[in-house]
Each structure stands twice: as structure tokens, then as C-alpha cells.
Amino acid sequence: MVLSFGHRFPTAIKQIKRCNVLVIGSTGVGKSTLISSMLNRTISDSVTKSISNPPYQKPGLSIAIYDTPGLENNKKQQDRVKEQIAKFIKQQKYKEPEDQIHAIWYCVNSQVTRETQIDRRWISSIAKELPVIAVITRASGVEKSWLEPFLRGISEIKQVIRVMALREKTPHYDIKPYGLDSLLFGTEHLLEEIAKTAILNAIKSKADKSFGWCRDGCTKVLTARLLPVPMMPIPLVVATLQTLMLADISKTFGYNLDWKFLSELCAIGIDTGIEVELAQILNNLPGVNYDNIQTVHDVLSQFGVMLNGMTATLPFKDQLIDLLPGLDNFNPVSGLPIVRCIAAVTTVLCTGFLAVAYIEAMKKCKQAEYEGKPLPDIKETWKDQMQQLMEFIKIGFGIGSSPGFAS
Ligand SMILES: Nc1nc2c(ncn2[C@@H]2O[C@H](COP(=O)(O)OP(=O)(O)O)[C@@H](O)[C@H]2O)c(=O)[nH]1
Ligand SMILES: [Mg+2]
């Protein structure tokens, strides 16, 4: 029989290139036989210790299958294998969409005798990350009648599919292979969801890495503000550091943008007047007594509390709030009285905000790229993000328009 996969969901397949499936289950249930039969090739039996990587593939079939060590009748061995599998899934999750694990085939032998042999706990924990399809292997038709309904009753299992991977001939029956096409068909049905999740994971991991560059940029800008380089005007140093930060973020998203373009973006960002607004806010935070000596730490905390309480929405509000404690951790001035540092803290906050808005713009570009849509204009997307940020700040802190934060 000629097997096919993915043709009914060409867009999803284009986005993830191939569907990566991890086959799991007890030793001897027929994992390797299933893979070998599906891909029409011999599968080495050496997978007792580790996951088969690279996965098994067959030209023309956009699926890649990873064989895994089977669970044995030994708690310690089981825990080790489960940990190995969890680690592998997690490690792949931060990679490109085509390198992530997309689905699980949980194999259960049709001759399983007790419900307790089905590891519901394990299924649930894996199903939190990935769609799980239960495969009843060596399904001869004489299996226990409770098995299929029982598996169907487990809500985390997306589908239950019966398979006979190799002809099985006994004095009582002779069953030819069947079910491999249904298994592929069932998996194919998950493709749209799979592609969506894979893209989200890949973008999230790039955004998370980019926040490292944001913190890095803020630290450097702070140092530059406090320990100016002789003969070099501070604004130039700051602009250079901010451009560098945007370059690092761009690279994290896989874009190599030229320096001139990026420094122009920084300038556009600053031109929104964000620095002026931030200085005004920092100079007038309610709850901060500027006559008393309140430290940078106090003021940043208060700023975070206010952001948190705002009813105004912004896609990256949480990221802004996350940024603040980090600033304060490495901040050598965190214990200094705020009145002496408002200018420096303003520049640092401004740098952080530029990064956060830029990461948001990069996410939009990457999303379009992964989805195979035309890339949005980076400059326009950037302007749009900066504008949203400014609106948010203005409304949130009650500058110009009506106050937007919750009492
Ligand atoms: N006839 C038949 N034998 C099977 C089938 N699946 C597995 N087996 C046999 O069951 C044994 C264990 O299978 P294997 O694939 O090595 O299990 P694994 O440990 O899960 O990889 C082997 O002797 C296979 O030939 C099947 O669908 N039909
Ligand atoms: Mg095997």
C-alpha cells in the first residue's frame, strides 16, 4: 500500500516541513516494528539506551519518526526513560518549527491485561506539551474489549488507532497488516494545530533570548550614563549601545539588518518623545516622596506596581513589568537617592522600552515569515509598536488623556 502524509494540509506541512513524531511505550509493544513497517525499512534494535536521533524518514513522506527506549518492568529504568524523553522534548521545543517534536504515538499492546499497565500519569504529563495519539499495536481483533473504550475515555488522548504492523498468523487467525494509513490520517488531522504551536514555541524562544539582549543593553547604557567615556558624548554612546542591542535582537530572530537602518529605528523610537514622558513620570510618581531620600530601587518598584495596576492594555505589558526587577538587580545605583539618578534611570528605562517594542515588532515579522506570508515593513511595524507603547504610557500614567490605572 502506498502511504501518504500531509497532502490535505499543505500550508501546515510547508510551515513545519515535516511532522516529527516520537513513538513511546513499553518494551516489546511493537514500536520499532511499527516504524519499520511504515517506512519500509529495517530499524536497528539498538535503541534500548537512547532516542534514535536523527529520526527515521522515507523519501516522499513528510513525517520523521523517533524511536525511543521502551519502558521495562523496573521503576528505576522507567523513570530514567521518562526523564530522557521529557528532556528531549523540551530541548527540541526551543528550536525551529521543523526541529521540534510535534506529536506522540503512545503504543499499547492489544494483549495488555490490566488498566494499571497504561500509564495515565505519564500520558497526562506529556499531553500538556504535545498531542498524544494512542496506538493499539498487534490489534488482532481478539484483544480485550475494555481496552479501546478505556483509552478513548482518557481525555488527554486525541485519538485511538488500531494497528497491525506485520502480518500475524496463528492457528486461529491470519491477519494482514492494517491501520498504518489510519494512523497517518489521524496524525495529519492534528497538523494545523501542530504547526500553530510549533511557530508559537519558536517565536517565544527567540523572544525569551532577546530579553537577555534587552537586559544586556540596559546594563551597558546604565554604565555609560554613570561612567562616561572621556571625549565621547554620552548621547552618541547611548545611541550606539541601543543600536547594538537592536542588532543583537534582530540576529536572534534570524535577521541581519544593517547598522544605518537600525540606528535610524532607534532615532525614530526616541523621536516619539518617550524619554521626555518617562522623565516626567519618574519625577512625579505618586506615592514617592522626593523630599525624602527614596532610592532608585524604591522608585522602580513603585513604577512596576503602577504598571501592574494599569487597566490599559498593551501586548507586551507583562514583559515591561518583568524588565523592572532585572534593572534593579544589576543596578549599581539601586541604593542611591533617586533625585541624583533620574536622568540615568530614564535613559535605561527608555532603552528597555525600545527593546521590548522592538522584540514585539520582530515577533510579528517572524510570525509572517513562518506562516509564509509577506513580511511586514519592519519600520512601519516598529513605529506602530512604539506608538502603542506611548499611548499606553500616556493613558496609564494619566499624562494628557484620562488616567487609566486602577485605583
Ligand atoms: N506479527 C506481528 N508481530 C509484531 C508486530 N509488532 C511487533 N511484533 C513483534 O513483537 C516483537 C517486539 O516488537 P518490537 O517492535 O521490537 O517492540 P519494541 O520494543 O516496542 O520496539 C517483535 O518480535 C516483533 O516482530 C505486529 O504488528 N505483528
Ligand atoms: Mg524497539
Side-chain angles (χ1 to χ4, degrees):
M1 185 181 35
V2 182
L3 293 171
S4 78
F5 182 82
H7 299 299
R8 287 180 309 145
F9 299 94
T11 314
I13 274 294
K14 222 166 139 191
Q15 289 166 356
I16 57 169
K17 305 215 167 56
R18 61 179 203 199
C19 180
N20 299 319
V21 177
L22 206 62
V23 185
I24 63 172
S26 301
T27 298
V29 287
K31 297 182 294 301
S32 305
T33 309
L34 174 76
I35 301 170
S36 136
S37 213
M38 186 170 280
L39 303 182
N40 218 343
R41 54 175 292 174
T42 15
I43 301 297
S44 81
D45 213 25
S46 62
V47 63
T48 46
K49 284 233 154 51
S50 60
I51 296 164
S52 63
N53 196 11
Y56 296 105
Q57 283 181 273
K58 180 182 168 181
L61 204 62
S62 16
I63 195 160
I65 313 179
Y66 294 82
D67 201 356
T68 65
L71 299 190
E72 277 156 31
N73 226 340
N74 164 344
K75 172 97 172 46
K76 242 184 161 164
Q77 189 268 357
Q78 292 193 2
D79 289 346
R80 201 171 54 233
V81 169
K82 286 178 188 173
E83 198 190 310
Q84 205 178 345
I85 289 173
K87 214 170 131 189
F88 184 62
I89 293 173
K90 196 169 169 198
Q91 165 205 316
Q92 298 303 107
K93 185 177 170 181
Y94 299 107
K95 299 191 171 171
E96 292 298 310
E98 65 257 38
D99 297 319
Q100 296 171 30
I101 301 300
H102 302 122
I104 299 287
W105 291 344
Y106 175 67
C107 295
V108 181
N109 189 285
S110 66
Q111 297 307 309
V112 61
T113 48
R114 280 172 292 121
E115 289 184 2
T116 48
Q117 287 175 280
I118 291 156
D119 204 331
R120 291 188 71 149
R121 264 246 204 94
W122 192 33
I123 298 173
S124 320
S125 76
I126 289 188
K128 286 197 185 89
E129 294 282 331
L130 293 166
V132 176
I133 292 182
V135 183
I136 300 179
T137 55
R138 305 185 74 166
S140 56
V142 298
E143 70 258 21
K144 315 281 182 292
S145 58
W146 61 270
L147 181 58
E148 195 172 334
F150 177 75
L151 288 170
R152 288 195 189 284
I154 299 176
S155 60
E156 290 100 337
I157 291 179
K158 297 267 180 199
Q159 303 187 28
V160 181
I161 303 207
R162 298 153 47 90
V163 167
M164 179 64 82
L166 264 188
R167 179 176 181 182
E168 190 150 311
K169 202 172 168 197
T170 73
H172 308 289
Y173 56 78
D174 178 3
I175 299 168
K176 295 201 182 59
Y178 74 90
L180 294 173
D181 51 348
S182 315
L183 179 53
L184 287 177
F185 194 79
T187 308
E188 200 178 40
H189 252 288
L190 306 173
L191 275 178
E192 286 180 338
E193 198 55 43
I194 281 173
K196 226 177 169 178
T197 311
I199 289 176
L200 276 181
N201 288 345
I203 292 178
K204 184 173 182 301
S205 114
K206 288 172 172 41
D208 289 349
K209 264 186 223 147
S210 297
F211 278 106
W213 291 120
C214 166
R215 290 182 197 290
D216 182 68
C218 289
T219 321
K220 287 180 176 149
V221 165
L222 184 65
T223 313
R225 281 303 259 100
L226 296 172
L227 307 166
V229 185
M231 312 301 289
M232 227 171 137
I234 291 178
L236 180 64
V237 177
V238 168
T240 306
L241 289 170
Q242 288 173 339
T243 307
L244 251 178
M245 175 181 73
L246 296 200
D248 285 329
I249 294 172
S250 313
K251 272 185 227 145
T252 303
F253 277 89
Y255 302 122
N256 251 323
L257 299 172
D258 76 60
W259 186 264
K260 189 166 161 277
F261 178 75
L262 289 173
S263 57
E264 229 174 82
L265 286 191
C266 280
I268 293 171
I270 301 294
D271 274 352
T272 54
I274 186 167
E275 223 161 355
V276 180
E277 303 285 3
L278 284 172
Q280 198 188 331
I281 293 165
L282 284 175
N283 272 306
N284 297 286
L285 280 177
V288 171
N289 182 346
Y290 291 86
D291 296 333
N292 281 332
I293 302 178
Q294 297 231 344
T295 61
V296 172
H297 172 84
D298 299 332
V299 172
L300 281 177
S301 306
Q302 180 61 19
F303 189 71
V305 168
M306 290 188 65
L307 277 179
N308 215 355
M310 277 179 197
T311 51
T313 53
L314 184 79
F316 38 94
K317 182 171 154 186
D318 292 342
Q319 281 81 337
L320 283 180
I321 295 167
D322 281 353
L323 177 71
L324 296 172
L327 287 181
D328 179 59
N329 274 342
F330 64 67
N331 194 338
V333 291
S334 90
L336 290 181
I338 185 66
V339 281
R340 281 186 39 205
C341 312
I342 283 184
V345 172
T346 302
T347 317
V348 174
L349 264 187
C350 179
T351 306
F353 282 25
L354 288 183
V356 167
Y358 189 64
I359 291 169
E360 219 49 41
M362 286 283 101
K363 280 165 75 177
K364 290 204 183 324
C365 293
K366 205 67 199 175
Q367 174 101 24
E369 186 194 322
Y370 281 145
E371 287 178 351
K373 293 179 182 156
L375 279 199
D377 184 277
I378 293 182
K379 198 178 271 180
E380 289 308 310
T381 315
W382 161 248
K383 278 186 190 163
D384 188 50
Q385 295 303 316
M386 281 309 295
Q387 202 171 350
Q388 281 191 46
L389 182 59
M390 286 303 290
E391 278 300 300
F392 172 76
I393 292 172
K394 280 185 183 164
I395 296 173
F397 287 93
I399 304 169
S401 345
S402 60
F405 45 89
S407 53

